[in-house]
Amino acid sequence: MDHLNLTWTQTFILAGFTTTGILRPLAFLGTLCIYLLTLAGNLFIIVLVHTDSGLSTPMYFFISVLSFLELWYVSTTVPTLLHTLLQGRSPIPSVACFIQLYIFHSLGMTECYLLGVMALDRYLAICRPLHYHALMSRQVQVWLAGSTWVAGFSAALVPASLTGTLPYCLKEVAHYFCDLVPLMRLVCVDTSWHARIHGAVIGVATGCNFVLIIGLYVGILRAVLKLPSAASRAKAFSTCSSHMTVVALFYASAFTVYVGSPGSRPEGTDKLIALVYALLTPFLNPIIYTLRNKEVKEAVRRLTDRVKTNLRGP
């Protein structure tokens, strides 16, 4: 009980990044610009999908759900990153620390499941085109999207609750937000059992979804290669290329941090990798999904024309 009380009454210190002199304001302003652009880009996709009838397809519905998730995902960690860049080492109450840990991992696992659902959507669209709209009705879309949130927030309860009940002897978290690996380094007792549980839960969530995505894309590849013309094959691949890019970014960085032994990496490496999936990926997702997408470009043009017409008045 003393250990439990110690855990919940202390304050942790977020070490953040070591920046001095002119680098500190530059890093702060750069991060702030990326954060604001990320919010604007994902909000723009949500508004565009829900206001343009040309984007009322299951694929764009799931993209808008992903953008909504990214708004919360990036907002869970970037404010503390900005604070540490501006103020240096920053205290954070243990309750806020563990809440941040839970929400961050819940959203991360939700994104993992959502990427699997998006791969399933592409598989049905390409491999089952005649039954696609019946299989992916609006009710099914909402049910699948809701299930990813329930599954993600349920799975994250295990690592977050286990970490929150450990006794901590040290206070300084070698990160810019409260994450599993840096927090586990502060514990007074042996955490090998907890690390195995964390690895099992996160590994099953990410690993099973990754295998599912790979399996679905193998089916997609087989179906596309059977198409009669190069133009039809290129069009089919173009609908999947954005999703595959996002999957590669997300899983490459997540596996690097959460799969394998935390002690095998130099301290401080995790927070550099975390910038990829916690800041860079949410920033790039709107660009990836819109840069080479003709349907989105046409929707933007229609929206721009409507705005111009409204500004001109009757």
Side-chain angles (χ1 to χ4, degrees):
M1 183 62 70
D2 291 338
H3 284 166
L4 183 62
N5 289 337
L6 174 64
T7 299
W8 283 99
T9 55
Q10 70 178 345
T11 298
F12 291 109
I13 305 294
L14 295 175
F17 290 95
T18 304
T19 54
T20 56
I22 192 65
L23 289 178
R24 177 173 290 184
L26 287 177
F28 175 83
L29 290 174
T31 303
L32 180 61
C33 288
I34 292 175
Y35 178 50
L36 294 176
L37 288 172
T38 302
L39 296 180
N42 283 288
L43 277 171
F44 178 74
I45 286 182
I46 293 171
V47 171
L48 191 65
V49 169
H50 288 275
T51 56
D52 192 278
S53 58
L55 301 181
S56 58
T57 64
M59 182 178 76
Y60 291 108
F61 170 76
F62 291 125
I63 289 175
S64 70
V65 174
L66 178 64
S67 292
F68 178 73
L69 186 150
E70 296 288 28
L71 291 175
W72 293 100
Y73 191 60
V74 73
S75 297
T76 303
T77 59
V78 172
T80 54
L81 171 58
L82 291 170
H83 192 268
T84 56
L85 287 173
L86 195 63
Q87 302 293 334
R89 296 166 69 252
S90 303
I92 180 171
S94 58
V95 174
C97 184
F98 293 123
I99 289 174
Q100 184 183 53
L101 172 71
Y102 171 64
I103 293 175
F104 177 75
H105 279 272
S106 296
L107 294 171
M109 291 190 186
T110 300
E111 180 165 350
C112 178
Y113 291 123
L114 184 58
L115 290 174
V117 167
M118 294 171 76
L120 174 63
D121 171 69
R122 291 297 82 212
Y123 175 83
L124 293 176
I126 294 172
C127 301
R128 300 289 186 272
L130 298 179
H131 304 93
Y132 175 59
H133 292 289
L135 292 171
M136 199 60 73
S137 64
R138 189 65 175 182
Q139 184 178 359
V140 172
Q141 294 171 43
V142 173
W143 183 86
L144 286 171
S147 297
T148 62
W149 287 80
V150 173
F153 276 76
S154 299
L157 282 171
V158 177
S161 59
L162 284 177
T163 307
T165 55
L166 288 169
Y168 291 87
C169 295
L170 302 174
K171 290 187 175 183
E172 184 162 322
V173 182
H175 214 304
Y176 63 87
F177 68 94
C178 293
D179 202 1
L180 278 175
V181 174
L183 280 174
M184 296 288 279
R185 292 194 178 109
L186 312 181
V187 177
C188 304
V189 297
D190 178 43
T191 59
S192 56
W193 178 81
H194 297 80
R196 286 194 292 271
I197 297 298
H198 296 161
V201 173
I202 296 174
V204 168
T206 57
C208 289
N209 275 278
F210 186 69
V211 171
L212 171 66
I213 291 171
I214 295 298
L216 290 170
Y217 271 109
V218 168
I220 290 172
L221 180 61
R222 288 176 178 173
V224 170
L225 292 177
K226 293 178 182 178
L227 294 175
S229 66
S232 58
R233 290 193 293 271
K235 183 178 179 180
F237 275 126
S238 68
T239 65
C240 303
S241 59
S242 298
H243 181 256
M244 288 189 290
T245 304
V246 171
V247 168
L249 281 172
F250 179 82
Y251 276 96
S253 54
F255 277 142
T256 302
V257 172
Y258 296 109
V259 177
S261 173
S264 64
R265 296 183 296 273
E267 189 171 317
T269 304
D270 294 336
K271 61 185 175 183
L272 292 173
I273 302 172
L275 287 175
V276 176
Y277 62 85
L279 179 63
L280 188 60
T281 300
F283 169 69
L284 291 176
N285 281 356
I287 301 173
I288 292 170
Y289 278 117
T290 59
L291 192 61
R292 298 179 62 186
N293 193 311
K294 292 182 179 179
E295 291 178 327
V296 173
K297 289 180 180 179
E298 290 174 0
V300 171
R301 181 183 55 78
R302 289 192 294 269
L303 179 63
T304 304
D305 291 341
R306 287 203 302 269
V307 171
K308 288 180 179 178
T309 301
N310 291 333
L311 289 175
R312 289 170 185 165

